[in-house]
Amino acid sequence: MDLDKIKSELSYKAVRSSGAGGQNVNKVSSKVILTFDILQSNGLSNSEKSYSNLN
């Protein structure tokens, strides 16, 4: 596992949160979505990827 490569492969996206909330919930980006593609990662070995149950 190469943590530096994995960190560079993380994708962050700030979005407006849905649902009930305070005065600013629909006006400001109040939620962050973090994505990581395990199967396409260069920071994980094939044996590490096999633990994901995605393939």
Side-chain angles (χ1 to χ4, degrees):
M1 181 181 306
D2 186 332
L3 291 178
D4 289 328
K5 280 187 182 179
I6 290 172
K7 287 178 187 177
S8 71
E9 294 171 346
L10 296 175
S11 175
Y12 300 90
K13 181 179 179 181
V15 296
R16 292 183 180 153
S17 185
S18 62
Q23 292 176 327
N24 289 323
V25 72
N26 293 320
K27 299 176 186 171
V28 298
S29 294
S30 56
K31 177 170 75 171
V32 175
I33 298 173
L34 172 67
T35 56
F36 175 67
D37 190 341
I38 293 171
L39 298 179
Q40 295 299 316
S41 176
N42 292 318
L44 296 172
S45 68
N46 287 333
S47 63
E48 290 168 327
K49 291 176 188 180
S50 70
Y51 290 116
S52 70
N53 293 325
L54 296 175
N55 49 2

